Amino acid sequence: MSETKTIKKRIPLLDELRGLTVIAMVIYHAAYSWAYIFGLPFGVAMMNVLFPIHYIIPVVFVFISGICTKLSRSNLRRGLLLLIPALGINIVTIFLEKYIMYISIYFGVINMLSVVMILYGLFGKYLERFPSLPSFIICMLLFPLTWGINDRFVGIFGIKLFELPDYLYNTKFLFPIGFPDNNFTSSDYFPLLPWIFLFLAGAYFASVITTTKIMISEKLYKSHSRVLSFIGKKALYIYIAHQPVICGLTYLILLLFKETLIKSSAEVA
């Protein structure tokens, strides 16, 4: 019998944290676009400053998504619905690769989340039979241990424990799992390994709270920032729209003020 229960209602703090990570994501992707798509010097400077948060953003986002398994009535339905825009993003970005370099996405964060939600919807009832706290700890350990799988090794982040055999990386079809071949490229790449373990850690963390006598403070159910909460609830729509908006506005501004920028550069020279 499953030992998990559903969290009694939506927790605004989760939406607010997700909203904060979405804002950070938009800023980071704006810097990425300015640096690598438009070749703007200030974009490169921003990337140098923002690079340390590159992995903090998805870590928080994926962990919260795992927690939200206990808020969803149907993770299978949630995952299948998320798969639609995920595949749409793949198709559009791969098509645009002909015109804009380094933009194609083959298995991004939305792809990964949709797949793990589907898997959790199908097999979650079996995973929930395991004790929550030990499972949470194990998943939190497996996440860093499998971090280097994309680079052909198992270890603690950059510290190699042992290398993986080359034959795992000789096919073009195992990249969703975490075994890309030498020619694989994707501007947004979040394979199942290691990220599925962080997602499961979030799910088990929620179970630890709901299956023990730990009382969830009522303050967690109170909104602290309506703006952040709203952004968190609309995270998917913002994720889909933000890159086209950033690139479109940047292209328009450069087009409108091209002559002014050229004159300013000439004067400085």
Side-chain angles (χ1 to χ4, degrees), residues 1-2 23 55 71 74 104 139 145 205 208 234:
M1 183 177 177
S2 173
I23 292 172
Y55 289 111
L71 296 171
S74 174
S104 60
C139 287
L145 277 172
F205 177 77
V208 169
K234 305 299 180 183

Side-chain angles (χ1 to χ4, degrees), residues 41-65:
F42 69 85
V44 176
M46 285 182 66
M47 283 295 294
N48 292 333
V49 174
L50 296 174
F51 189 77
I53 70 170
H54 177 51
Y55 289 111
I56 297 175
I57 297 169
V59 164
V60 174
F61 194 82
V62 173
F63 189 77
I64 291 175
S65 296

Side-chain angles (χ1 to χ4, degrees), residues 200-219:
L200 291 175
Y204 280 122
F205 177 77
S207 295
V208 169
I209 294 175
T210 56
T211 59
T212 63
K213 294 183 179 180
I214 298 174
M215 296 297 293
I216 301 178
S217 173
E218 287 299 319
K219 292 182 179 180

Side-chain angles (χ1 to χ4, degrees), residues 24-119:
M25 174 197 69
V26 170
I27 294 171
Y28 181 85
H29 284 172
Y32 180 93
S33 299
W34 294 333
Y36 299 117
I37 296 177
F38 295 97
L40 300 174
F42 69 85
V44 176
M46 285 182 66
M47 283 295 294
N48 292 333
V49 174
L50 296 174
F51 189 77
I53 70 170
H54 177 51
Y55 289 111
I56 297 175
I57 297 169
V59 164
V60 174
F61 194 82
V62 173
F63 189 77
I64 291 175
S65 296
I67 293 175
C68 289
T69 57
K70 297 298 176 287
L71 296 171
S72 176
R73 294 180 180 177
S74 174
N75 286 291
L76 178 59
R77 180 176 179 273
R78 183 172 161 229
L80 289 171
L81 289 175
L82 190 60
L83 185 61
I84 297 172
L87 294 175
I89 291 171
N90 299 146
I91 294 169
V92 170
T93 57
I94 291 169
F95 173 78
L96 290 177
E97 180 78 9
K98 299 177 182 178
Y99 309 98
I100 306 173
M101 294 181 65
Y102 312 117
I103 198 172
S104 60
I105 296 174
Y106 284 92
F107 201 80
V109 65
I110 302 300
N111 294 99
M112 181 271 295
L113 285 175
S114 65
V115 172
V116 295
M117 287 176 190
I118 291 171
L119 291 174

Side-chain angles (χ1 to χ4, degrees), residues 13-268:
L13 181 61
L14 294 179
D15 290 324
E16 291 160 0
L17 289 174
R18 185 159 43 201
L20 193 61
T21 60
V22 167
I23 292 172
M25 174 197 69
V26 170
I27 294 171
Y28 181 85
H29 284 172
Y32 180 93
S33 299
W34 294 333
Y36 299 117
I37 296 177
F38 295 97
L40 300 174
F42 69 85
V44 176
M46 285 182 66
M47 283 295 294
N48 292 333
V49 174
L50 296 174
F51 189 77
I53 70 170
H54 177 51
Y55 289 111
I56 297 175
I57 297 169
V59 164
V60 174
F61 194 82
V62 173
F63 189 77
I64 291 175
S65 296
I67 293 175
C68 289
T69 57
K70 297 298 176 287
L71 296 171
S72 176
R73 294 180 180 177
S74 174
N75 286 291
L76 178 59
R77 180 176 179 273
R78 183 172 161 229
L80 289 171
L81 289 175
L82 190 60
L83 185 61
I84 297 172
L87 294 175
I89 291 171
N90 299 146
I91 294 169
V92 170
T93 57
I94 291 169
F95 173 78
L96 290 177
E97 180 78 9
K98 299 177 182 178
Y99 309 98
I100 306 173
M101 294 181 65
Y102 312 117
I103 198 172
S104 60
I105 296 174
Y106 284 92
F107 201 80
V109 65
I110 302 300
N111 294 99
M112 181 271 295
L113 285 175
S114 65
V115 172
V116 295
M117 287 176 190
I118 291 171
L119 291 174
Y120 196 89
L122 293 172
F123 305 107
K125 61 183 178 181
Y126 304 108
L127 294 172
E128 291 170 356
R129 294 176 181 177
F130 296 102
S132 301
L133 183 57
S135 299
F136 165 72
I137 295 171
I138 290 171
C139 287
M140 287 300 292
L141 291 174
L142 287 174
F143 177 61
L145 277 172
T146 55
W147 183 267
I149 280 182
N150 312 151
D151 296 317
R152 307 190 177 202
F153 72 89
V154 172
I156 305 295
F157 295 111
I159 303 173
K160 295 182 181 181
L161 296 179
F162 59 88
E163 294 186 356
L164 294 170
D166 289 337
Y167 67 80
L168 291 172
Y169 303 87
N170 290 336
T171 174
K172 295 182 178 180
F173 306 107
L174 293 180
F175 65 87
I177 299 174
F179 305 119
D181 69 344
N182 291 329
N183 297 319
F184 177 80
T185 58
S186 180
S187 63
D188 186 34
Y189 182 46
F190 287 83
L192 296 179
L193 297 174
W195 294 98
I196 192 171
F197 293 120
L198 184 63
F199 181 91
L200 291 175
Y204 280 122
F205 177 77
S207 295
V208 169
I209 294 175
T210 56
T211 59
T212 63
K213 294 183 179 180
I214 298 174
M215 296 297 293
I216 301 178
S217 173
E218 287 299 319
K219 292 182 179 180
L220 296 180
Y221 293 104
K222 295 179 180 179
S223 178
H224 306 87
S225 172
R226 291 184 179 180
V227 174
L228 289 178
S229 183
F230 176 81
I231 293 173
K233 291 177 182 177
K234 305 299 180 183
L236 176 61
Y237 303 107
I238 295 172
Y239 180 87
I240 294 172
H242 79 286
Q243 276 292 67
V245 170
I246 290 169
C247 291
L249 287 177
T250 303
Y251 180 79
L252 183 61
I253 291 170
L254 291 176
L255 190 65
L256 291 175
F257 297 97
K258 183 177 181 180
E259 293 184 4
T260 302
L261 292 171
I262 293 174
K263 289 180 181 179
S264 299
S265 299
E267 292 175 359
V268 172

